[in-house]
Amino acid sequence: MKLDFVRGHMGGNLIILLRGDQVPVGRELDAAVKLMGANYLYAHEAGILYSTEKPGQIEVKIAEPTVPCFISACGGFTQVLGAALIETDLGDLFGLNREISPAEVVLHTDCGPTALSIEFKDGKAVRIRTNMECFVTECYERGVGKMRINELEVLRAGKFLVINAESFRQVYQYADFNNWNGKTRKALLDIQDQFMSETGEIEPNVAVYDWQPERKGQMRVVFPHYVQDEFFEPSCGTGSVALGLAALAADELKDITVGENGWLTLDIESGGGIELGGPDLTTLEMKIENNQVKSAVFSHSRVEITAVGEARF
């Protein structure tokens, strides 16, 4: 099999993009998972792109390798795709208007319509804003709120287990969210197993955060989705949205100013490696009404296309 691909990352969240018209029907998940493996392109998620015959509208299937399965949404995928539509031939393939910035795109995902606004200059994407409203709705449908697991208060935001690092350290004094020693990993896995058992979630999705930024953010985060297999995402778009929902449910946003239009902005340090925090910024904008998030838009400070080519297997 030969498949054209584009590879990129959002703050270390590794993404590959594939053309759906080249993937044999019935082999979509197998092909995507194989290409995400260490012997091939290695990535955290893969997006398979299908033409809708409507300019600027793309049908997508998003695969992740840990279960493996198709997932409803992936913020990093949307950011890398936004850059690829400007900087590679994918823009021509899907009829993107690259004459006027920002370019507007609608992705048809398993979560629902997802709008991208892509600012660009001189053929390079400068900023990609992803509207994650459908994912917000999905999170609330699954459940958002506090839980207690193994003497630790945690938060659920849809399929995400969200953990305040300071609370974790109070229960597990040996916790190390920079080097991730064995005891830290074992404690997290035990909590994750219990969380998934109680909620019925089958995908491993974890966000660990605190309010001790080292650079320009207000908080910092890392996404150790499955430490048993070294599956860390330094940045995660859906995880950042889940973090915002969880922080609101925990009443941790009361010191953040909400604008007159009801929108609140969080700058979150993430990216670069497995340590808590990072050199990059995820900017999360949330529309809040009646103490709930109604819509969320995010962008990331570092999105790069790293390879374009043909994969053979």
Side-chain angles (χ1 to χ4, degrees):
M1 189 185 302
K2 300 178 182 180
L3 298 177
D4 293 327
F5 73 88
V6 176
R7 188 176 189 269
H9 77 98
M10 177 192 77
N13 181 198
L14 303 170
I15 308 293
I16 56 174
L17 307 175
L18 304 172
R19 289 177 46 178
D21 62 337
Q22 296 180 337
V23 182
V25 175
R27 294 192 60 188
E28 296 89 350
L29 185 59
D30 289 343
V33 169
K34 188 167 187 176
L35 286 179
M36 285 186 278
N39 290 333
Y40 289 88
L41 299 177
Y42 185 68
H44 299 119
E45 283 90 18
I48 306 175
L49 314 176
Y50 298 89
S51 173
T52 64
E53 304 298 333
K54 297 177 181 179
Q57 296 195 41
I58 306 170
E59 183 180 340
V60 302
K61 297 290 288 185
I62 308 164
E64 70 95 22
T66 57
V67 174
C69 64
F70 288 115
I71 58 177
S72 63
C74 174
F77 155 72
T78 68
Q79 295 280 296
V80 171
L81 175 58
L85 289 170
I86 299 298
E87 300 174 18
T88 77
D89 291 341
L90 287 180
D92 294 328
L93 184 65
F94 293 104
L96 186 70
N97 182 353
R98 291 184 282 191
E99 298 297 323
I100 301 174
S101 175
E104 305 294 338
V105 178
V106 176
L107 307 179
H108 299 276
T109 73
D110 288 345
C111 177
T114 301
L116 306 184
S117 181
I118 311 166
E119 299 173 20
F120 60 92
K121 184 177 181 181
D122 298 328
K124 294 284 289 185
V126 176
R127 186 186 187 210
I128 302 125
R129 299 177 75 247
T130 303
N131 189 316
M132 302 289 287
E133 186 170 340
C134 67
F135 182 70
V136 170
T137 300
E138 179 186 296
C139 286
Y140 280 116
E141 288 175 348
R142 285 175 124 119
V144 175
K146 298 178 180 179
M147 298 177 63
R148 182 164 291 276
I149 299 177
N150 296 356
E151 301 182 356
L152 177 67
E153 183 176 270
V154 300
L155 293 150
R156 178 186 187 181
K159 63 183 181 180
F160 271 83
L161 166 64
V162 183
I163 299 174
N164 185 308
E166 290 304 309
S167 298
F168 192 99
R169 292 188 187 100
Q170 289 175 13
V171 178
Y172 306 97
Q173 291 81 12
Y174 49 76
D176 181 347
F177 295 118
N178 290 320
N179 298 309
W180 289 93
N181 58 37
K183 288 185 177 180
T184 304
R185 293 175 182 236
K186 176 63 165 59
L188 178 61
L189 279 171
D190 288 345
I191 293 167
Q192 185 177 26
D193 287 345
Q194 187 64 29
F195 172 82
M196 295 175 74
S197 176
E198 292 187 20
T199 62
E201 298 292 344
I202 61 172
E203 300 169 30
N205 292 285
V206 182
V208 177
Y209 74 99
D210 68 15
W211 293 91
Q212 299 183 29
E214 296 181 349
R215 295 174 177 83
K216 296 180 180 180
Q218 294 152 300
M219 59 197 308
R220 57 182 185 168
V221 67
V222 67
F223 303 94
H225 295 313
Y226 199 47
V227 297
Q228 181 170 312
D229 287 348
E230 298 291 335
F231 194 80
F232 289 79
E233 287 186 3
S235 299
C236 177
T238 52
S240 298
V241 173
L243 172 58
L245 271 60
L248 180 65
D251 198 29
E252 295 183 5
L253 301 182
K254 53 184 176 294
D255 294 330
I256 309 296
T257 301
V258 178
E260 293 182 1
N261 57 2
W263 286 84
L264 174 152
T265 300
L266 278 174
D267 287 319
I268 307 166
E269 295 178 1
S270 64
I274 67 172
E275 67 275 6
L276 182 60
D280 308 317
L281 281 180
T282 297
T283 298
L284 175 65
E285 305 165 70
M286 298 188 296
K287 174 76 168 180
I288 298 176
E289 295 178 4
N290 301 321
N291 206 38
Q292 274 202 352
V293 177
K294 296 300 181 182
S295 184
V297 176
F298 94 97
S299 60
H300 195 276
S301 65
R302 187 159 64 104
V303 181
E304 298 175 327
I305 302 302
T306 57
V308 178
E310 181 183 77
R312 302 183 182 190
F313 62 98

